[in-house]
Amino acid sequence: MAGVVKSRGNLLRLWVLFWLFIAFVSVSKVEARYRHYKWEVKYQYKSPDCFKKLTISINGRSPGPTILAQQGDTIVVELKNSLLTENLAVHWHGIRQIGSPWSDGTEGVTQCPILPGDNFIYKFVVDRPGTYLYHAHYGLQKEAGLYGSIIVSVPSNVSEPFTYDYDHSIILNDWYHKSTHEQATGLSSIPFGWVGEPQSLLINGRGKFNCSLSSLVAGVCNALNPECSPYVLTVIPGKTYRLRIGSLTSLSAISFGMQGHNLTVVEADGHYVEPFVVKNIYIYSGETYSVLLKANQDSSRNYWAITNVVSRKPSTPNGLAILNYHPNHPEKLPPTIPPTGPLWSDTASRLAQSFAIKAHRGHITAPPLKSDRVIVLLNTQNKIDGFFKWSLNNVSLTLPHTPYLVALKFNLTDAFDQTPPPDNYDSMNYDIFSVAKNVNATSSNGIYRLKFNTTVDIILQNANTMTVNNSETHPWHLHGHDFWILGYGNGKFDMKRDPQKYNLLNPIMKNTVPVHPYGWTALRIQTNNPGVWLFHCHIESHFYMGMSVVFEAGVEKVGKLPSTIMGCGKTRGFHRP
Ligand SMILES: *[C@@H]1O[C@H](CO)[C@@H](O)[C@H](O)[C@H]1NC(C)=O
Ligand SMILES: *[C@@H]1O[C@H](CO)[C@@H](O)[C@H](O)[C@H]1NC(C)=O
Ligand SMILES: *[C@@H]1O[C@H](CO)[C@@H](O)[C@H](O)[C@H]1NC(C)=O
Ligand SMILES: *[C@@H]1O[C@H](CO)[C@@H](O)[C@H](O)[C@H]1NC(C)=O
Ligand SMILES: *[C@@H]1O[C@H](CO)[C@@H](O)[C@H](O)[C@H]1NC(C)=O
Ligand SMILES: *[C@@H]1O[C@H](CO)[C@@H](O)[C@H](O)[C@H]1NC(C)=O
Ligand SMILES: *[C@@H]1O[C@H](CO)[C@@H](O)[C@H](O)[C@H]1NC(C)=O
Ligand SMILES: *[C@@H]1O[C@H](CO)[C@@H](O)[C@H](O)[C@H]1NC(C)=O
Ligand SMILES: [Cu+2]
């Protein structure tokens, strides 16, 4: 009897302990703040601009789900590649991946591709608050619709240098009707097949293609499809909105504006900006901005939100959304025709806006005053064996089949060219204002090995393309780091004079920056994140055509690599689980 009572007591105690344990586990889970996502990636027919197209979706959606997290959280994304016939890799754009360089999601650099049918787990810490993005990083796959936003809020006891009532994310994109396969084939063929200008601009995955221009069979383009009704942003009169705007265009530099309203820029790529007011914000692929919008205009009507192409002569209609003042009907069209946006060729106003972006006075991270190494990268359009390419200092990057990160950790010296690309170009004899006398370049998969924990300046030098009187805007994106933007200028960078004009007082830090036509942009980075990191033009086709370099720093400090990133190229014999 006593034994029974005793064991009952034990049972009870066990029961209580069990629940205490469960309670403890769930509390500690909350404190550790793991955010789990299960994503299935597959093709689906979608009509984001009324034109039916095969689109890569995440859990049925494009743009994909927004990742909402708080600073310090660990994000775990369990990805299933259900594309059937295509590899996959997903990059977490703006997340530095400190301590997890194998989760950067860059095929050929930090991992082997995820094979059709396979699962892959990305796990990383979002160590800084701000507005970030994610997108596919395999071939031209981002263009097919695999993209979305990451929003990292500050801890509840931390305040930001501005206030607002509500938060909205707006993701901008351009959209092509041709498949990525057709585009990639064109880009790597003789004769060359350029992708051309996009068919439409999307705001939160919605745009409008003029269906009467499509001579295709009925049902392919349907102007009344609810999937392509304009995105509606509803506001309450008198309130202030933080719009977290990100661009993941494949080609276009764009401007975004709200009819009749000003926008106050407060954040850029996760860094607080000394606020300034604009009518429209220029945004380059890979950039994010937070702007404050005050709903303080005549609230009896709705307004247009517009995006339009800049920098390239546009042939894409402007993207439109509706700014809806509650309680007007959300689909009530604004009473006026949409504004046109700034002129595409107004390079001066775009340069002026680049200059205006400075670190917030209360949030300045001082840059090192001197650098240990300067790398000048001349951006040129070239030919190699008759194929069109883009190059840096005459070298066009070809990604190796074996990821650099694995090759470097395992000393696989035959996995890529061990000769580093040059730190400069023949600036004395190269005329950046004309088509090069010899447009031929070379291709290589060699990389820049940077000394760990040093300061490196990168000068992006723009030039004329292979077309007379033409220089393009290139948005450069760095993985694994934010850089300080020390300056912009027109013409050829002067190694002696221009550094004297660097802004060392309040330079903004970013992860993506434009180099303007015929201009230069000077960046400073600290090589304090062990790993192998891409630095590339964020225009999909330019990257595909070799407009990229790779930086390695401190790879010997990288911890044990997960075997899930291996299995391809020279790591084929290495174990995959
Ligand atoms: C916020 O709280 C965390 C721990 O809860 C603490 O480490 C941090 O210092 C606090 N920050 C501020 C600005 O109070
Ligand atoms: C659509 O294209 C047709 C045919 O070119 C043209 O007549 C019409 O005005 C266009 N509609 C819009 C809204 O641009
Ligand atoms: C927008 O800013 C400009 C220049 O600062 C100012 O003249 C204009 O009145 C502002 N418009 C609104 C709607 O606040
Ligand atoms: C450039 O490359 C092409 C094709 O390989 C070759 O025919 C041509 O002679 C080269 N031009 C120069 C100036 O070297
Ligand atoms: C690779 O080479 C480095 C330096 O030569 C050495 O320290 C390291 O142990 C080697 N790693 C492997 C996996 O062989
Ligand atoms: C680029 O490389 C090609 C091929 O090696 C060479 O002919 C050409 O002169 C180089 N151009 C420049 C600007 O260095
Ligand atoms: C980086 O270098 C600085 C001095 O330049 C030193 O204080 C710091 O400890 C170094 N950090 C690492 C991780 O080596
Ligand atoms: C060069 O192109 C610009 C537009 O990008 C144009 O305004 C200018 O007139 C052109 N100059 C010449 C000499 O063709
Ligand atoms: Cu480019």
Side-chain angles (χ1 to χ4, degrees), residues 469-491:
N469 186 32
N470 177 253
S471 182
E472 298 185 10
T473 304
H474 303 281
W476 278 86
H477 171 60
L478 178 61
H479 293 223
H481 307 75
D482 294 332
F483 44 70
W484 288 273
I485 301 176
L486 302 184
Y488 298 91
N490 282 315

Side-chain angles (χ1 to χ4, degrees), residues 155-159:
S156 45
N157 61 346
V158 172
S159 60

Side-chain angles (χ1 to χ4, degrees), residues 500-521:
Q500 292 166 18
K501 290 181 276 179
Y502 281 168
N503 173 16
L504 300 169
L505 288 177
N506 60 351
I508 190 75
M509 294 191 84
K510 284 177 106 271
N511 61 62
T512 307
V513 68
V515 58
H516 294 289
Y518 299 112
W520 55 264
T521 301

